[in-house]
Amino acid sequence: DVKVTQSSRYLVKRTGEKVFLECVQDMDHENMFWYRQDPGLGLRLIYFSYDVKMKEKGDIPEGYSVSREKKERFSLILESASTNQTSMYLCASSLSSPTGYGYTFGSGTRLTVV
Amino acid sequence: EDQVTQSPEALRLQEGESSSLNCSYTVSGLRGLFWYRQDPGKGPEFLFTLYSAGEEKEKERLKATLTKKESFLHITAPKPEDSATYLCAVQAWEEYGNKLVFGAGTILRVKS
């Protein structure tokens, strides 16, 4: 069964801490994504990567950075966590396909910043 | 800018009471429209992809349809296990990345 695995289901961090969220996929997908999900706002794209070492800003990149050193792993970094970054974080991956392809999502990491 | 609006925000149905969820979209050039189901505390799960107006896809009690401006997810004789948040997303033709733009979702509750 193909999978996207996020390292933590729940995290509690303090304001100002540097936070790492890890995502690993075993499907040899080219594309990987980080979204955050908040009630009433839906899923908003933070960053995505279409190849190793390549990254592109999404709609809300401020306060975040990413790293993709290997094809299967995409990390989201909160440089200095703030309370407004409390959210559900979802990682996803997909193939590059000329006709479009759905994402496979991880189970999510619920981050609370106190 | 690509946009997706879903309605209603929440829907309560009795078991067996059929209904439809709406997804209105604007996109520069539609590559695909996607429906996902999300259970509480979990990641979204892929349901359907629709590519062109007039296309329809079915899976059990769910049927998705597509026009040039909107998509409908029809739920026939729903059961309590159909309770979930249903997400709609669009994908535009781009050079790379396969980004999806999501709507805020419709929360469906089916009572027995």
Side-chain angles (χ1 to χ4, degrees):
Chain A
D1 196 15
V2 295
K3 280 190 176 178
V4 175
T5 303
Q6 294 184 233
S7 54
S8 305
R9 290 298 304 275
Y10 300 95
L11 277 178
V12 180
K13 297 292 182 180
R14 294 194 180 278
T15 301
E17 277 193 77
K18 191 169 186 176
V19 181
F20 293 85
L21 302 183
E22 305 288 343
C23 176
V24 177
Q25 52 97 0
D26 64 0
M27 297 166 283
D28 201 33
H29 283 175
E30 293 87 1
N31 302 322
M32 296 188 74
F33 308 84
W34 276 106
Y35 284 85
R36 64 177 283 177
Q37 184 175 30
D38 301 289
L41 297 177
L43 277 76
R44 293 179 292 166
L45 182 64
I46 305 171
Y47 267 96
F48 70 100
S49 169
Y50 56 92
D51 202 351
V52 176
K53 297 191 185 290
M54 306 302 289
K55 58 186 179 184
E56 293 289 334
K57 293 181 180 179
D59 300 317
I60 51 165
E62 295 77 19
Y64 303 94
S65 63
V66 290
S67 172
R68 193 169 180 200
E69 297 296 318
K70 293 185 177 181
K71 190 175 185 179
E72 67 270 20
R73 187 180 297 270
F74 192 35
S75 302
L76 179 69
I77 303 154
L78 285 66
E79 299 290 345
S80 177
S82 64
T83 55
N84 63 14
Q85 291 178 311
T86 291
S87 186
M88 169 73 105
Y89 289 87
L90 289 163
C91 175
S93 71
S94 78
L95 288 168
S96 294
S97 166
T99 55
Y101 199 83
Y103 289 2
T104 301
F105 281 90
S107 297
T109 296
R110 185 163 294 282
L111 173 67
T112 302
V113 183
V114 298
Chain B
E1 183 182 339
D2 302 335
Q3 284 191 325
V4 177
T5 303
Q6 291 188 246
S7 62
E9 291 183 15
L11 182 62
R12 291 192 174 202
L13 298 173
Q14 287 294 124
E15 185 172 3
E17 180 187 1
S18 301
S19 188
S20 297
L21 312 182
N22 178 262
C23 171
S24 298
Y25 65 92
T26 56
V27 63
S28 52
L30 183 68
R31 185 172 182 177
L33 185 141
F34 299 81
W35 282 99
Y36 289 84
R37 171 193 169 122
Q38 186 176 24
D39 294 305
K42 296 187 177 181
E45 187 177 308
F46 172 75
L47 290 173
F48 304 109
T49 308
L50 301 167
Y51 296 107
S52 57
E55 189 175 0
E56 299 182 351
K57 288 194 176 173
E58 288 189 65
K59 180 179 180 179
E60 296 180 357
R61 295 177 292 281
L62 301 177
K63 179 181 176 180
T65 62
L66 181 65
T67 73
K68 288 186 177 181
K69 293 185 178 181
E70 57 191 355
S71 177
F72 292 93
L73 185 65
H74 306 279
I75 304 175
T76 303
K79 298 182 177 182
E81 54 261 43
D82 295 321
S83 297
T85 297
Y86 290 86
L87 299 169
C88 173
V90 295
Q91 184 178 64
W93 285 99
E94 293 176 316
E95 184 177 355
Y96 52 75
N98 284 4
K99 289 181 293 180
L100 294 185
V101 175
F102 284 85
T106 294
I107 302 170
L108 175 66
R109 292 288 176 262
V110 182
K111 299 183 79 173
S112 58

